[in-house]
Amino acid sequence: MKNSNPEKPFNPETDPLISVKDLQKNFKGLHALNGVSLDIYKGDVVFVVGPSGSGKSTFLRCLNRLEEPSGGEIFFEGVEITDRAVDINKHRQKMGMVFQQFNLFPHMTVLKNMTQAPIKLQHISKAEAEAEARKLLDRVGLLDRENAYPNQLSGGQKQRIAIVRALCMKPDVMLFDEPTSALDPEMVGEVLQVMRGLAEEKMTMVVVTHEMAFAREVASKIVFMADGQILETGTPDEFFNHPKTERLKQFLDKVL
Amino acid sequence: MNFFSAVGEDISNFFTEFGNDFYLNFIKNARWQYLVNGLGVTLKVTLFAVIIGIVLGFLVAIIRSTHDKAGTMTPFLKFVLNVLNFLCNVYLTVIRGTPVLVQLLIIYFVIFASVRIDKSFVAIIAFGVNSGAYVAEIVRGGIMSIDQGQFEAGRSLGFNFAQTMWYIIIPQTFKNVLPALGNEFIVLLKETSVAGYIALEDLTKGGDIIRSQTFSALLPLLAVAAIYLLMVVLLSNLLKILERRLRSSEK
C-alpha cells in the first residue's frame, strides 16, 4: 500500500481525510473528469455544485470507486485507494454513501437494511447492531418504522433510512449524491434537516446537490464544477457574493 | 324388450365391462404396482433433477452476469472469468440446441456405455443438466432486471461482489423469477416421461407395461395422464402459495 507521504504516518487532524490528485475519468469518448484535484479535511462539509453534465456526480462516485477512475490518485486516510492492490471494500466501509434513488433493499425490513452490513462486515452482534440502529432511527424520528419494508415508506422516509443505514457503519465521511433530487418538494425539508444535524456534529460530508440555499447555509466549502473540472472553490460567502469566474456568475444567475 | 330395459342393459354392460377392465389392468397380478413404483421413480428423478438444475442454473447465471456487469479486476481474474463464460456459453448452446431425449440417449448409451449404472441416476443427470441451461437463462434475466442501484448500494456499504450477490441480488432475483422457475419445473416433471427410452420404469413406462400385458390401452394411459395432471395441479398450487408468501413482504 502506498502512502501519500511514506515518511510520516497519517494524522487525521492535519492531513486531508480525502486527497484527490489530477483525477481523470473517460467514458467511451467522453471526458467526464479532466484533472480534478481537491483536499477534504476532517469536519469539512463540501458541497459540489455545477450545471448538469459537469461531472460532479462522476467525481463523487469516483471517491469510493463505484466509478473506476481512468487516471489520477485518490488518497483516503493516507492510503492510495486508487491502487488496484488495495482492498477497496475495507475502505468503503468507512465511506457512507447516499443515493438519489435511495436504493434501500426492498426485501429487508428497515432494521435489517441497517444492520445487515455491520453484522456481516464488522462482526458486531445482532443485538448490538440493532440497538445502534434503533438509536439512529430515533434520531431521525422513524423508530416506529423499524419493521416496515421500504415500499411502505414515503420518499422522505426512505432517504432518511438510507442515511442512517450508511451511518450504521460508523463512516468517517458521508457522500451524498443528489439526495433530494428524487423527492417531492414537501419531503425535501425532512431530509435536509437530518443532513444539517450531521453537519452540526462535524461529520465530514461531500454533497452533490442543486439545493443552493441549503449549500449556502450548511457548507464549509463550495466547489463549482463545469466540463469535468473544478473552476472555483470557496466559502459560501466567496461563492455566492464574490464569484470570480464568468462561468460561475452565469450559473448563479440561472439558479438563484 | 322395450327401450328402457335396453338402455338399462347397456348401462349395466358398461359397468360390468369397466369393472372387468379395471380389474384386469390394475388389480390382477397387482399391476397397480407398476404405476405406484413408476410414480416413485418419476418423483425421484424430477426432484433430484430440479436440485441439480437450480444449482447449475444459478451458478451459470451468476458467472454470466458477473462477466457482463463486473467492473475492473485483475487481468488473471478477467481471464478466468472469460474462460468460464465461454464454457457456460458452450453449455447453453449445446443443451438448448438439442432435444432432451437425444441428450438422455447419448448420456446413457455413449457416456455411460461401458459402466453398469443405475438408470435413474442417468436420468437425473440428463434432466438436471438439461434443466440447468433453462434455469440459467431465467435466473440471468432475473439478475439483470434488478436495478443497478441495488448493486451499488451493496458495494458502497463495503460488501464485496459475492456478498452483494448473496445478500442483496439473489434474494430479490429469486422472488422475481419464481413464476418462471415454477413453470420450468412443471415442464421438467412432464419431460421425464421420455425416460422410458432408456428402459427406466417411470410412471409413463409403468402404464405402458400394463398396456402391453393386458392389450387394453385406455385405462392404463388414462390413469397415467390423470396422475401427471394431479401432480402438476398440486405443484402449481404449491408455487402459488410460495409466491404469495414471498410477495407478502412487499405489501
Side-chain angles (χ1 to χ4, degrees):
Chain A
M1 271 194 249
K2 266 198 281 175
N3 202 291
S4 54
N5 184 350
E7 269 86 75
K8 204 175 65 173
F10 174 70
N11 179 348
E13 302 307 322
T14 55
D15 297 337
L17 188 69
I18 299 176
S19 181
V20 182
K21 290 180 178 151
D22 192 31
L23 194 63
Q24 308 276 345
K25 175 70 189 179
N26 302 321
F27 294 107
K28 298 180 181 105
L30 178 79
H31 238 44
L33 292 179
N34 198 356
V36 175
S37 298
L38 183 68
D39 283 346
I40 297 162
Y41 290 86
K42 192 165 166 247
D44 272 355
V45 179
V46 177
F47 275 64
V48 184
V49 300
S52 58
S54 59
K56 50 195 194 307
S57 271
T58 305
F59 168 69
L60 190 79
R61 289 160 56 81
C62 279
L63 291 183
N64 65 354
R65 271 178 56 192
L66 274 190
E67 215 69 77
E68 204 63 54
S70 315
E73 295 165 334
I74 300 170
F75 293 89
F76 176 58
E77 300 182 327
V79 178
E80 190 199 337
I81 57 170
T82 32
D83 182 355
R84 286 282 168 80
V86 148
D87 180 8
I88 189 65
N89 300 312
K90 269 265 165 303
H91 298 285
R92 280 185 182 142
Q93 292 182 29
K94 292 282 138 205
M95 310 171 106
M97 188 159 199
V98 176
F99 300 86
Q100 182 177 354
Q101 298 296 338
F102 328 127
N103 296 343
L104 294 180
F105 307 133
H107 58 303
M108 300 178 186
T109 62
V110 164
L111 204 59
K112 186 101 187 287
N113 258 285
M114 296 173 68
T115 55
Q116 181 86 338
I119 291 172
K120 300 293 179 193
L121 296 173
Q122 299 179 333
H123 307 293
I124 292 166
S125 77
K126 189 168 176 233
E128 209 178 320
E130 286 184 350
E132 179 64 29
R134 289 201 178 93
K135 228 188 286 172
L136 286 162
L137 279 176
D138 193 27
R139 224 178 77 178
V140 297
L142 289 170
L143 191 51
D144 56 328
R145 306 298 286 165
E146 65 171 58
N147 290 318
Y149 283 90
N151 64 354
Q152 299 167 319
L153 304 171
S154 72
Q157 289 175 330
K158 279 183 200 168
Q159 196 60 298
R160 281 185 280 162
I161 298 294
I163 293 172
V164 287
R165 175 176 72 179
L167 288 176
C168 271
M169 293 296 284
K170 300 197 167 56
D172 295 332
V173 59
M174 287 283 286
L175 312 175
F176 292 86
D177 189 4
E178 305 201 18
T180 56
S181 297
L183 293 175
D184 291 337
E186 76 267 25
M187 292 172 180
V188 170
E190 62 194 65
V191 171
L192 295 186
Q193 187 55 40
V194 172
M195 293 172 65
R196 190 177 290 121
L198 282 177
E200 280 161 8
E201 287 169 28
K202 295 288 168 225
M203 168 62 83
T204 311
M205 295 160 68
V206 185
V207 186
V208 170
T209 188
H210 297 289
E211 302 279 339
M212 287 302 151
F214 185 61
R216 174 180 277 184
E217 174 199 352
V218 174
S220 64
K221 194 196 245 180
I222 299 182
V223 171
F224 177 65
M225 281 186 74
D227 304 326
Q229 289 175 314
I230 293 182
L231 295 191
E232 221 168 298
T233 306
T235 63
D237 177 56
E238 290 166 347
F239 181 86
F240 286 103
N241 303 328
H242 313 286
K244 291 191 275 283
T245 57
E246 202 49 45
R247 198 70 196 271
L248 176 53
K249 279 176 202 158
Q250 286 171 6
F251 176 72
L252 289 174
D253 279 344
K254 271 184 213 151
V255 297
L256 291 183
Chain B
M1 263 200 290
N2 66 32
F3 175 73
F4 287 106
S5 70
V7 170
E9 202 172 303
D10 275 358
I11 292 175
S12 87
N13 272 348
F14 173 79
F15 276 110
T16 325
E17 222 168 275
F18 179 83
N20 288 343
D21 247 14
F22 190 87
Y23 176 78
L24 178 70
N25 281 304
F26 301 128
I27 312 294
K28 197 177 175 199
N29 296 339
R31 288 191 173 120
W32 56 272
Q33 287 184 349
Y34 285 115
L35 294 183
V36 172
N37 294 340
L39 175 61
V41 171
T42 292
L43 286 176
K44 182 173 82 175
V45 169
T46 305
L47 178 70
F48 286 105
V50 161
I51 293 171
I52 292 178
I54 288 189
V55 172
L56 211 54
F58 268 83
L59 207 68
V60 170
I62 289 170
I63 290 171
R64 298 242 301 143
S65 48
T66 304
H67 176 267
D68 288 354
K69 81 198 293 190
T72 50
M73 55 184 80
T74 61
F76 174 71
L77 260 179
K78 185 128 202 129
F79 174 74
V80 171
L81 204 53
N82 279 337
V83 171
L84 286 176
N85 187 57
F86 175 75
L87 292 177
C88 289
N89 275 329
V90 170
Y91 163 69
L92 292 176
T93 308
V94 170
I95 295 296
R96 296 200 302 165
T98 54
V100 64
L101 178 53
V102 176
Q103 293 162 16
L104 179 72
L105 293 175
I106 288 176
I107 290 179
Y108 185 63
F109 288 113
V110 180
I111 296 177
F112 289 123
S114 54
V115 264
R116 278 174 59 89
I117 196 158
D118 183 17
K119 290 191 191 92
S120 55
F121 177 76
V122 173
I124 288 169
I125 297 291
F127 291 114
V129 168
N130 180 270
S131 178
Y134 293 93
V135 171
E137 285 304 89
I138 292 171
V139 173
R140 192 174 69 94
I143 291 175
M144 295 316 248
S145 74
I146 303 286
D147 181 33
Q148 180 67 15
Q150 290 291 310
F151 201 79
E152 291 181 352
R155 297 306 304 269
S156 78
L157 284 167
F159 287 123
N160 63 29
F161 185 87
Q163 289 167 323
T164 306
M165 274 288 173
W166 186 248
Y167 295 131
I168 294 155
I169 307 298
I170 298 295
Q172 296 183 55
T173 302
F174 188 74
K175 194 186 297 186
N176 289 350
V177 301
L178 193 64
L181 272 189
N183 190 52
E184 165 60 22
F185 296 145
I186 286 170
V187 170
L188 177 63
L189 171 71
K190 292 180 296 179
E191 237 173 25
T192 60
S193 62
V194 300
Y197 270 87
I198 60 167
L200 177 65
E201 292 185 13
D202 71 330
L203 178 58
T204 306
K205 188 76 180 173
D208 204 41
I209 290 172
I210 298 177
R211 182 194 57 78
S212 68
Q213 291 180 354
T214 61
F215 300 107
S216 112
L218 178 69
L219 278 190
L221 295 185
L222 217 54
V224 167
I227 296 172
Y228 276 114
L229 183 65
L230 189 69
M231 285 194 292
V232 169
V233 169
L234 278 178
L235 193 58
S236 320
N237 280 316
L238 220 67
L239 285 162
K240 230 180 263 170
I241 293 169
L242 187 60
E243 245 174 81
R244 208 175 304 145
R245 193 162 296 174
L246 283 174
R247 290 253 170 255
S248 70
S249 69
E250 293 186 355
K251 296 254 165 65

